């Protein structure tokens, strides 16, 4: 892969380095400085001319800092005459801003997509977007991966004969159903109503969970309010055990600690799409790597092969 150049922002360099190890290419150096007036300066310290450039940067806290880094990396690569610039976003934080559900509200998911394209991105590789329509916010090709296979491989080690996969809400029910098919289990979904960013109500669970082992599947866990509310319902309905799984383990405001303290939760599983600090990890947490999947997608993009073929049979 002689004509490929992979750079990382400061959001998750460990993931970028792991992707490069699977690709057997070096992680090209990038320099990010801050001026006295608080402005950022980004320099890509490897040749980009006519090369296939991949910029790896999940949008995690501080999101705005990492977004500006990514925009400046795109601009730097374009100014260096890169042949093609692919933004690899394992987590697209603004994907949650995907609808106008209140008057005079910004459609942030579309705005940030436009900014990335304006900065020079010619392709996007994303992982488990919050909703399918976000794919259409970009005016350049998007390859949309998910982590269901990685999660399914982990859970197949268990006895799944009495298991139900539960989606916290109807919006994620399609993903939960696909995950249940991979595991050969039943599926259920919560009836959720959100009042504020961290206040939700789940009035019922549609499906059979009584005296069953439950795997709660969500795309991301931030404050964990939805999962905590769902656990109350599962407890009342007599679920036998609970495991929690998500792609993006953001775990803001002590969410991981609160979930780990729930006695019925046996395990919390996420991927390394976003960094989970070692100091915040608990004994119940299992982190799976998505680096092999991202690396294979990067290889296929570079070689002009099908990325969707990765999901054949799902």
């Amino acid at each position: 892969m002689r004509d490929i150049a992979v750079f990382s922002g400061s959001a998750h360099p460990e993931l970028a380095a792991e992707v490069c190890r699977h690709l057997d290419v070096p992680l090209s150096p990038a320099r990010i400085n801050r001026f006295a007036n608080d402005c950022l300066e980004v320099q890509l310290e490897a040749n980009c001319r006519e090369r296939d450039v991949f910029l790896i940067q999940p949008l995690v806290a501080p999101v705005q800092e990492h977004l500006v880094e990514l925009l400046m990396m795109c601009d730097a690569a374009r100014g260096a005459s890169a042949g093609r610039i692919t933004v690899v976003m394992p987590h697209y934080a603004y994907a949650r801003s995907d609808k106008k559900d209140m008057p005079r509200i910004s459609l942030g998911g579309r705005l940030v997509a436009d900014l990335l394209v304006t900065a020079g991105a010619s392709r996007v590789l994303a992982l488990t977007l919050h909703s399918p329509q976000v794919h259409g916010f970009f005016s350049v090709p998007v390859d949309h991966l998910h982590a269901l296979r990685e999660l399914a491989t982990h859970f197949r080690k268990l006895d799944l004969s009495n298991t139900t996969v539960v989606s916290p809400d109807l919006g994620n029910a399609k993903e939960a159903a696909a995950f249940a098919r991979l595991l050969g289990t039943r599926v259920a979904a919560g009836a959720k109503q959100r009042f504020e960013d961290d206040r939700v109500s789940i009035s019922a669970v549609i499906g059979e969970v009584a005296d069953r082992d439950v795997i709660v599947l969500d795309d991301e866990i931030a404050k964990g309010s939805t999962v905590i509310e769902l656990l109350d319902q599962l407890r009342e309905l007599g679920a036998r055990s609970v495991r929690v799984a998500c792609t993006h383990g953001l775990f803001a405001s002590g969410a991981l600690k609160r979930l780990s303290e729930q006695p019925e939760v046996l395990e919390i599983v996420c991927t390394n799409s976003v960094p989970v600090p070692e100091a915040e990890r608990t004994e119940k947490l299992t982190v799976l790597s998505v680096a092999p999947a991202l690396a294979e997608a990067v290889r296929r993009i570079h070689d002009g092969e099908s990325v969707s073929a990765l999901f054949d049979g799902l």
Side-chain angles (χ1 to χ4, degrees):
M1 303 185 74
R2 182 170 49 86
D3 296 324
I4 189 174
V6 181
F7 297 90
S8 172
S10 64
H12 201 352
E14 298 83 6
L15 176 61
E18 189 179 349
V19 169
C20 286
R21 285 196 295 272
H22 284 280
L23 289 170
D24 196 24
V25 300
L27 178 60
S28 298
R31 183 176 59 84
I32 300 171
N33 285 336
R34 186 182 299 274
F35 292 113
N37 66 354
D38 204 39
C39 290
L40 292 174
E41 178 189 54
V42 172
Q43 181 183 17
L44 304 180
E45 297 184 308
N47 180 34
C48 297
R49 186 173 296 274
E50 298 304 323
R51 300 182 77 187
D52 205 358
V53 173
F54 292 84
L55 308 174
I56 302 178
Q57 178 90 316
L59 296 186
V60 295
V63 173
Q64 281 59 243
E65 291 273 322
H66 292 141
L67 172 59
V68 173
E69 279 185 19
L70 181 55
L71 292 171
M72 296 182 79
M73 290 169 71
C74 288
D75 183 62
R78 179 177 59 181
S81 301
R84 179 174 60 181
I85 303 167
T86 300
V87 168
V88 181
M89 275 194 303
H91 177 56
Y92 183 34
Y94 277 98
R96 294 188 66 168
S97 180
D98 61 346
K99 53 188 176 295
K100 298 201 71 163
D101 51 1
M102 291 187 290
R104 299 171 298 282
I105 189 171
S106 170
L107 202 60
R110 176 61 186 269
L111 173 62
V112 173
D114 288 343
L115 288 172
L116 287 167
V117 174
T118 300
S122 45
R123 193 176 195 95
V124 173
L125 174 60
L127 177 68
T128 312
L129 294 170
H130 182 64
S131 53
Q133 65 263 29
V134 175
H135 188 138
F137 288 175
F138 292 88
S139 57
V140 295
V142 176
D143 292 300
H144 184 195
L145 308 182
H146 60 65
L148 295 185
R149 278 209 170 124
E150 286 76 9
L151 292 169
T153 299
H154 173 78
F155 284 108
R156 285 195 188 106
K157 301 171 186 175
L158 306 173
D159 178 6
L160 300 174
S161 58
N162 190 46
T163 299
T164 299
V165 173
V166 178
S167 169
D169 54 49
L170 298 177
N172 197 54
K174 186 175 181 180
E175 289 296 300
F179 189 54
R181 285 196 298 272
L182 285 175
L183 296 179
T185 67
R186 299 182 187 181
V187 65
K192 183 179 82 171
Q193 183 178 5
R194 182 176 291 277
F195 299 99
E196 297 173 10
D197 180 52
D198 60 350
R199 192 164 70 88
V200 300
S201 172
I202 297 179
S203 56
V205 175
I206 305 165
E208 186 178 350
V209 296
D211 199 32
R212 295 185 67 81
D213 301 313
V214 168
I215 300 174
V216 175
L217 178 72
D218 210 349
D219 62 325
E220 70 176 62
I221 296 176
K223 289 187 175 180
S225 52
T226 295
V227 177
I228 294 291
E229 179 73 12
L230 179 60
L231 290 176
D232 291 339
Q233 282 286 328
L234 295 173
R235 194 178 298 118
E236 291 181 12
L237 293 170
R240 190 167 70 179
S241 69
V242 179
R243 285 178 165 84
V244 178
C246 68
T247 299
H248 310 300
L250 301 174
F251 302 131
S253 304
L256 181 56
K257 183 175 183 291
R258 287 197 303 276
L259 288 172
S260 298
E261 289 172 347
Q262 304 299 312
E264 63 271 35
V265 174
L266 303 181
E267 186 181 26
I268 302 163
V269 183
C270 69
T271 77
N272 63 343
S273 64
V274 302
V276 183
E278 288 290 340
E280 298 178 10
R281 298 190 182 194
T282 70
E283 291 183 356
K284 291 185 177 181
L285 179 67
T286 300
V287 180
L288 309 176
S289 179
V290 290
L294 290 173
E296 178 60 17
V298 167
R299 186 194 66 77
R300 286 171 179 254
I301 291 170
H302 177 69
D303 291 342
E305 299 177 13
S306 172
V307 175
S308 62
L310 291 172
F311 307 118
D312 286 350
L314 292 181

